């Protein structure tokens, strides 16, 4: 759902809160070192253990984190902030709101999709073979009401009730 940059921004924003200029500078240095290390790992494709992640993905993450730490360091320097405050970071706050909006949209789409799946499981699609005589009567009823034969059958099924002895009954009704 989120890009590598989005994840890096959220991570750095969370980790950077309350850090001093010197601490942010240390984070820039650490991110630069980690970026170089992960790039070097790409040059030596070896056997990665079952718990190791994708080395390309890890390298991309550190490139994005390094860029974000540099952005925050430059922002603090330009604004003269002694400590980083995510609330004062206009660009970072804008990105965070955009991520939240994306997440809410994705959650809403997921909920709608799940509801559709539930509705689909609850639906019954049946193919009914009717004798020629019954089929003619059904088509005539449908033609008089302006409905499709399947719609008439669906309305009929809606009104069926089962008696205590298991017999099915339908009260008289007019299809609409």
């Amino acid at each position: 759902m989120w890009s590598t940059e989005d994840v890096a921004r959220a991570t750095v924003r969370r980790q950077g809160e309350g850090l001093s200029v010197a601490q942010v500078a240390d984070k820039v240095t650490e991110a630069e070192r980690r970026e170089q290390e992960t790039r070097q790992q790409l040059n030596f494709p070896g056997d990665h253990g079952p718990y190791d992640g994708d080395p390309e993905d890890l390298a991309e993450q550190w490139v994005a984190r390094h860029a974000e730490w540099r952005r925050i360091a430059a922002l603090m320097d330009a604004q003269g902030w002694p400590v980083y405050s995510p609330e004062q970071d206009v660009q970072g706050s804008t990105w965070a709101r955009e991520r939240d909006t994306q997440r809410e949209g994705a959650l809403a789409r997921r909920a709608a999709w799940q509801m559709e799946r539930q509705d689909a499981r609850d639906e019954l699609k049946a193919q009914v073979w009717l004798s020629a005589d019954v089929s003619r009567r059904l088509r005539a009823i449908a033609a008089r009401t302006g409905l499709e034969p399947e719609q008439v059958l669906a309305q009929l099924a809606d009104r069926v009730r089962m008696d205590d002895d298991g017999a099915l009954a339908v009260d008289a009704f007019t299809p609409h």
Side-chain angles (χ1 to χ4, degrees), residues 6 17 29 32 38 45-46 55 96 120 128 137 142-143:
D6 288 334
E17 185 169 9
T29 303
E32 181 179 21
T38 56
V128 180
R137 282 188 288 156

Side-chain angles (χ1 to χ4, degrees), residues 5-24:
E5 289 78 15
D6 288 334
V7 173
R9 290 172 184 151
T11 301
V12 169
R13 184 175 167 86
R14 185 179 60 252
Q15 291 176 353
E17 185 169 9
L19 295 184
S20 68
V21 172
Q23 290 171 313
V24 169

Side-chain angles (χ1 to χ4, degrees), residues 111-127:
W113 175 76
Q114 286 178 318
M115 183 62 85
E116 277 181 26
R117 287 190 63 213
Q118 182 62 43
D119 289 347
R121 274 186 289 223
D122 292 344
E123 290 178 358
L124 173 65
K125 294 182 182 185
Q127 192 171 30

Side-chain angles (χ1 to χ4, degrees), residues 40-173:
Q40 288 172 352
Q41 286 177 350
L42 291 176
N43 295 331
F44 300 105
D47 182 31
H48 298 288
Y51 304 107
D52 291 346
D54 178 9
E56 287 184 30
D57 184 46
L58 187 59
E60 289 176 18
Q61 288 176 31
W62 279 107
V63 167
R65 284 187 191 183
H66 185 205
E68 185 61 10
W69 280 118
R70 284 193 322 259
R71 184 191 72 82
I72 288 175
L75 177 66
M76 290 176 70
D77 184 48
Q79 298 294 324
W81 296 345
V83 295
Y84 177 69
S85 173
E87 293 78 28
Q88 291 179 311
D89 182 352
V90 175
Q91 183 64 58
S93 295
T94 300
W95 286 332
R97 280 191 303 277
E98 288 171 359
R99 283 191 306 273
D100 289 343
T101 301
Q102 282 179 333
R103 182 176 185 275
E104 289 168 7
L107 290 174
R109 287 188 302 277
R110 170 86 178 164
W113 175 76
Q114 286 178 318
M115 183 62 85
E116 277 181 26
R117 287 190 63 213
Q118 182 62 43
D119 289 347
R121 274 186 289 223
D122 292 344
E123 290 178 358
L124 173 65
K125 294 182 182 185
Q127 192 171 30
V128 180
W129 295 93
L130 302 172
S131 67
D133 182 48
V134 172
S135 180
R136 279 191 293 276
R137 282 188 288 156
L138 178 60
R139 289 180 196 282
I141 293 168
R144 281 195 308 259
T145 60
L147 300 172
E148 294 293 321
E150 294 83 5
Q151 292 172 312
V152 174
L153 288 175
Q155 289 183 22
L156 180 65
D158 280 342
R159 289 166 174 76
V160 169
R161 68 180 191 296
M162 186 181 297
D163 294 338
D164 292 337
D165 61 353
L168 299 178
V170 178
D171 292 330
F173 75 98

